[in-house]
Amino acid sequence: MRLVLFGPPMAGKGTQASMLAEKLGLLHIAMGDLLREAVAANTSLGRKAKKYMDEGALVPDAIVIGLVEGKMKTSNSEAGFILDGFPRTVEQAEQLEQFTDIDLVLSIDLPFDRLVERSTGRRVCRKCGAVYHIDFKPPRKPEVCDRCGGSLYRRDDDKESVVRERLRAYEAQTQPVINYYDLRRKLKFVDGDKSIEEVGMRLLEAIFDKWPELEVKVAKAEAARKAAGEQKPPKKEAIPGIKTRRQQGRGRRGSPRDRKKKAGGQPQKKPRHRPKKKK
Ligand code: AMP
């Protein structure tokens, strides 16, 4: 299964790509992460990419294609992969076709006004960085962080004019690539104006439309995962190497049964409390 996922900024594309990769056992190739890893590792591709990333410009096609191809060769992508943040240009899509086929392209679709609402309502804690939303996840006290009591603020890049500019740039950049896959009948739109869970379900439905046999497999794997998650992990030893009485299967200290044993079969009687007689 070879997938590509598109989605405008703030549509939750990264979250959905990770969820799909986990549920379907796919390799998640997030282009932004791959580039940041290359920069952090100071590889020659990373060094070349850095100056473009610092300017917020697209990194040249040859570099990103080299990174994707390398990642596919060196990682286990037998079950398939999901590309997130790649391809971003028609040139990248054409180059990708030279070394692998794409089966399905999913595009998370939602009106720009909703995305503007999502970002302009976002508030971030100055102290601990916790994220809120004035409508969807409001703090208990307005403008105050629930977690640490710090004050909340709106980031500069969450201002409406900045957000609209980012969305316009996304559209101008992505539309030709969307058209490229549409012409090849690989594209499906998924309604993104829903909760994270619902969007996830719709993405899966679009995938099951193409691979119906997967639906039962994924449901079974999910049930098994849930069952495993519900089993309580064994209690840790308080002092490494020393088990509690309970862990040794010896019950609690001082239980009535223990006291009875100690007393040679007779349960120890506690002195009864008698109220003092009034004189
Ligand atoms: P992202 O994490 O997706 O926002 O990407 C961070 C930065 O990496 C972008 O601002 C670009 O400089 C670069 N980048 C990510 N994906 C690509 C791509 N497919 N082609 C070129 N540059 C990219």
Side-chain angles (χ1 to χ4, degrees):
M1 186 185 294
R2 291 153 299 189
L3 307 176
V4 174
L5 184 64
F6 285 116
M10 289 152 305
K13 173 171 60 75
T15 309
Q16 298 294 355
S18 306
M19 180 280 292
L20 290 176
E22 196 198 317
K23 288 211 162 136
L24 302 167
L26 304 176
L27 174 67
H28 177 192
I29 304 181
M31 196 63 233
D33 291 348
L34 262 190
L35 282 163
R36 279 182 287 273
E37 274 166 32
V39 172
N42 201 20
T43 62
S44 74
L45 285 183
R47 280 194 298 277
K48 283 182 198 148
K50 189 175 181 314
K51 64 174 192 268
Y52 297 93
M53 294 171 76
D54 287 347
E55 288 165 11
L58 282 186
V59 173
D61 292 338
I63 299 179
V64 284
I65 288 156
L67 280 171
V68 172
E69 203 175 356
K71 178 78 180 172
M72 284 184 188
K73 277 188 187 146
T74 54
S75 312
N76 178 12
S77 61
E78 255 171 47
F81 56 77
I82 179 160
L83 291 170
D84 158 11
F86 182 89
R88 281 195 185 176
T89 62
V90 172
E91 173 71 24
Q92 289 178 11
E94 283 169 351
Q95 294 269 340
L96 177 66
E97 229 172 53
Q98 304 291 312
F99 60 89
T100 187
D101 282 328
I102 293 298
D103 301 309
L104 180 62
V105 177
L106 297 164
S107 178
I108 303 175
D109 191 30
L110 72 166
F112 280 3
D113 282 347
R114 300 287 291 147
L115 292 167
V116 170
E117 234 175 76
R118 281 188 189 184
S119 53
T120 54
R122 190 156 52 188
R123 297 289 181 274
V124 183
C125 174
R126 279 186 202 282
K127 231 164 131 187
C128 72
V131 181
Y132 298 86
H133 191 283
I134 53 174
D135 297 319
F136 312 127
K137 196 189 164 197
R140 282 192 291 272
K141 237 169 125 187
E143 307 298 321
V144 178
C145 179
D146 291 348
R147 215 201 281 172
C148 73
S151 65
L152 305 185
Y153 78 110
R154 187 165 76 177
R155 278 177 7 194
D156 278 350
D157 55 354
D158 279 341
K159 282 191 185 133
E160 181 165 351
S161 56
V162 180
V163 174
R164 285 206 185 272
E165 188 43 49
R166 274 175 72 199
L167 292 172
R168 261 195 297 274
Y170 167 82
E171 194 173 35
Q173 200 180 76
T174 316
Q175 199 55 51
V177 195
I178 298 258
N179 294 345
Y180 176 93
Y181 286 115
D182 198 15
L183 270 173
R184 285 157 181 77
R185 309 224 168 282
K186 300 208 164 155
L187 182 72
K188 273 192 193 176
F189 286 104
V190 170
D191 183 3
D193 197 5
K194 299 273 178 284
S195 67
I196 293 177
E197 292 73 23
E198 270 178 87
V199 176
M201 270 164 53
R202 279 159 201 243
L203 286 166
L204 279 172
E205 274 165 20
I207 290 169
F208 297 150
D209 255 4
K210 189 165 173 65
W211 290 280
E213 70 283 3
L214 271 183
E215 189 163 3
V216 176
K217 265 193 198 169
V218 171
K220 274 189 186 163
E222 186 68 4
R225 224 189 327 243
K226 268 196 185 147
E230 275 159 17
Q231 277 171 15
K232 282 188 184 163
K235 271 195 174 171
K236 275 189 193 157
E237 291 162 354
I239 305 165
I242 298 181
K243 286 190 164 65
T244 63
R245 290 174 67 84
R246 214 174 195 175
Q247 284 163 345
Q248 292 168 31
R250 289 170 62 199
R252 277 203 221 127
R253 192 192 308 274
S255 68
R257 183 174 286 176
D258 281 355
R259 286 203 297 270
K260 186 176 170 184
K261 266 191 203 160
K262 263 190 200 160
Q266 285 303 310
Q268 277 178 335
K269 276 189 182 169
K270 279 186 186 170
R272 266 177 63 195
H273 171 74
R274 287 171 212 255
K276 277 184 188 167
K277 275 183 194 161
K278 277 184 188 168
K279 281 180 188 167

